[in-house]
Amino acid sequence: MEWNFHTAEEIAAALRAGDVTSAELTDEAITRIERDDKAINAICVPDFDRARAAACGADQARARGEDRPLLGIPVTVKESYNVAGLPTTWGMPQYRDHMPAEDAVQVSRLKAAGAVVLGKTNVPLGLQDLQSFNEIYGTTNNPWDHARTSGGSSGGSAAALASGFGALSIGSDLAGSLRTPAHFCGIYAHKPTLGLAATRGMVAPPAPPLPVDLDLAVVGPMARTARDLSLLLDVMAGPDPLTHGKAYDVTLPPARHQRLGDFRVLVLDEHPLIPTGSAVRAGVNRVADALVDGGARVERHTPLLPDLAEAATLYTQLLFSGSVARFPVEAYDLLRTRAAGLSADDQSLDAARLRGMVFSHRDWMEANNRRELHRHGWRQFFAEFDAVVCPITPTPAFPHDHNLDLLERRIDIDGVEIPFFDQLVWAGLATMPGLPATAVPTGLSPDGLPVGVQLIGPMFEDRTPLRLAELVEQRIGGFQAPK
């Protein structure tokens, strides 16, 4: 039997039943990678010898009667996670030989759960792109169309899953870096509530792996089904044992509902600051129709929704404030001069990016206060609704664009060119307030490209959008393997 496209849940059942061994699964996955990855370039750091050894260890453990959540299941890990014995570069050439001494906390959790790590997946330079290419490892192609991007910054992981290279992967998300590659490659991903999963060891070199609380970024699971996302999130969730983990454990509340007919959902397909492409709009509406057919209460408008334009501006300022915080003084001074020349009337996202880049601490504190008002608004919203369905980006995967000046790039939305970074506004809707969001494939565009949507849920109620994703999957289907 061919196992490469089976779900983690199916593989776990087969391992327990003795229908397959971890050694067989691992050899099959390695064979497929060696055969197919030359065209995709998803696995940038293979670790096959240790994977085979881990698989044999998993089979021996099972023979002793052990049974752990991921025991013997082949997985991949985003390059940005520290794995002892493998380089962590974040695609930066000056760190091509950076070799961490210990595993990231999430890699440790994968291994403790019994997973077999096949290797690391490709990323963009510094994790700062919606594509995955760098000077060290080259370009990762979309398995559906090699002329297009697989997304970023977890693009290697998404391409690996879509290609059958392992059953699960772990990535990270600051600007849609889990959700956008999932949308572009036709898989599932979950951006957890901010702070739910420990991030130590998912750090840019040469920084030490300290247990810091990140402002916007999270780590999270990627898979080929919604149920597999839940399986992996259960392994990943929980505080860092060096800090908060000394005092408490995490117990996520159950999903608000089990039946689709009990869900109350707001559907959005328009944003005040950016158009929505026809293929993505069709994907949103496909999900909306499935919700209605399943008896869910679906609304298109509500005064409870926080202001989308203000949310996008606030997210943009917070995101870019952090992205340039370590710029050289000369570059920062140049940005300050440019920002001072902006008209007070310029409320574009370009202007928000530039203003955010030169935030003072006072500016950041004011933005953070406004974020708390938005969080309160979401609490009021989720007293009446259970989830939001909306785009992840306004288009399917776009052609490779390696222009190093990201501010000069443009994306095409049904013939209209817009600034490249404007497409982040949908990802920021969940990221800015720290809400959980699950990326769900909805089918293919007329051009044969995957289209996904995100299901945004209440803070620390991650099981609610995950359950809704399962129910949507049952209605409209889910992952399709590329032809």
Side-chain angles (χ1 to χ4, degrees):
M1 178 183 288
E2 159 86 43
W3 290 98
N4 284 312
F5 284 104
H6 280 249
T7 70
E9 191 176 40
E10 291 168 343
I11 290 171
L15 285 164
R16 292 186 183 106
D19 295 336
V20 68
T21 67
S22 180
E24 291 169 337
L25 291 170
T26 301
D27 280 340
E28 185 176 304
I30 291 171
T31 297
R32 188 176 189 90
I33 292 167
E34 291 177 336
R35 186 191 74 193
D36 294 346
D37 198 37
K38 292 180 179 65
I40 305 299
N41 193 34
I43 310 298
C44 62
V45 184
D47 197 20
F48 296 158
D49 288 344
R50 292 199 300 181
R52 287 189 168 104
C56 289
D59 289 332
Q60 293 166 2
R62 192 171 294 282
R64 293 192 299 268
E66 294 185 28
D67 188 14
R68 286 172 265 157
L70 305 179
L71 186 58
I73 297 176
V75 306
T76 59
V77 172
K78 187 176 181 178
E79 199 272 355
S80 51
Y81 285 89
N82 288 347
V83 178
L86 300 180
T88 296
T89 71
W90 288 42
M92 297 185 282
Q94 66 270 37
Y95 299 115
R96 65 172 66 241
D97 297 321
H98 177 70
M99 198 77 66
E102 63 182 29
D103 290 341
V105 65
Q106 293 299 342
V107 175
S108 295
R109 288 176 179 174
L110 280 179
K111 292 180 178 179
V116 174
V117 178
L118 297 167
K120 302 179 81 175
T121 59
N122 203 21
V123 297
L125 177 67
L127 274 58
Q128 294 191 337
D129 203 340
L130 277 76
Q131 305 172 84
S132 293
F133 69 94
N134 60 75
E135 183 180 317
I136 303 174
Y137 299 122
T139 300
T140 298
N141 297 318
N142 192 306
W144 290 87
D145 180 347
H146 296 177
R148 295 176 184 266
T149 182
S150 62
S153 61
S154 307
S157 288
L161 285 166
S163 301
F165 305 160
L168 302 166
S169 193
I170 57 173
S172 61
D173 193 308
L174 171 68
S177 289
L178 285 161
R179 293 162 286 164
T180 297
H183 158 47
F184 285 174
C185 293
I187 64 154
Y188 290 78
H190 181 70
K191 185 200 89 65
T193 298
L194 181 67
L196 176 61
T199 62
R200 177 164 49 89
M202 215 291 297
V203 59
L210 301 177
V212 298
D213 292 328
L214 301 177
D215 179 50
L216 295 167
V218 301
V219 296
M222 307 178 79
R224 287 190 292 267
T225 71
R227 286 178 63 86
D228 280 359
L229 286 181
S230 295
L231 174 68
L232 185 48
L233 182 65
D234 285 345
V235 171
M236 300 183 73
D240 194 304
L242 296 184
T243 55
H244 302 295
K246 291 183 178 294
Y248 62 81
D249 295 321
V250 163
T251 302
L252 288 173
R256 290 186 174 187
H257 313 290
Q258 290 300 312
R259 295 176 54 256
L260 189 56
D262 294 330
F263 275 86
R264 305 160 298 171
V265 182
L266 178 69
V267 173
L268 301 175
D269 63 1
E270 295 182 353
H271 196 284
L273 300 183
I274 189 172
T276 303
S278 56
V280 170
R281 189 186 301 275
V284 173
N285 288 326
R286 195 174 303 125
V287 172
D289 290 343
L291 294 173
V292 171
D293 290 345
R297 191 193 97 193
V298 175
E299 305 287 346
R300 294 279 185 164
H301 305 280
T302 174
L304 293 172
L305 182 69
D307 184 87
L308 295 183
E310 183 182 33
T313 299
L314 186 54
Y315 168 67
T316 298
Q317 291 172 332
L318 290 167
L319 175 66
F320 281 85
S321 173
S323 69
V324 304
R326 293 179 177 84
F327 270 27
V329 173
E330 300 80 9
Y332 183 74
D333 287 342
L334 179 61
L335 290 171
R336 289 183 64 184
T337 300
R338 289 176 55 195
L342 290 171
S343 165
D345 295 332
D346 188 347
Q347 298 300 309
S348 66
L349 290 174
D350 269 340
R353 281 186 280 274
L354 187 51
R355 292 187 180 111
M357 289 178 188
V358 297
F359 261 11
S360 66
H361 184 61
R362 181 186 181 91
D363 293 332
W364 189 91
M365 289 295 292
E366 172 57 29
N368 190 48
N369 288 338
R370 286 188 285 132
R371 169 166 50 188
E372 290 301 331
L373 292 174
H374 273 259
R375 283 178 174 151
H376 183 62
W378 281 110
R379 283 190 286 270
Q380 294 175 310
F381 172 89
F382 283 118
E384 298 296 329
F385 289 87
D386 301 308
V388 176
V389 175
C390 64
I392 297 168
T393 73
T395 70
F398 51 84
H400 295 297
D401 182 351
H402 292 183
N403 184 347
L404 295 180
D405 187 346
L406 278 66
L407 296 178
E408 290 299 317
R409 291 187 195 165
R410 296 291 182 268
I411 62 165
D412 183 299
I413 304 178
D414 292 347
V416 177
E417 287 198 346
I418 67 158
F420 182 79
F421 279 124
D422 284 11
Q423 65 185 302
L424 298 182
V425 297
W426 284 114
L429 188 62
T431 300
M432 184 270 289
L435 302 173
T438 305
V440 177
T442 70
L444 303 180
S445 73
D447 294 333
L449 297 171
V451 173
V453 301
Q454 60 180 331
L455 314 178
I456 301 175
M459 185 173 284
F460 289 109
E461 295 189 51
D462 293 57
R463 297 198 192 284
T464 292
L466 285 167
R467 176 56 181 164
L468 184 58
E470 289 182 38
L471 296 169
V472 169
E473 183 179 11
Q474 293 168 11
R475 284 269 166 181
I476 66 173
F479 169 77
Q480 302 178 51
K483 304 297 187 289

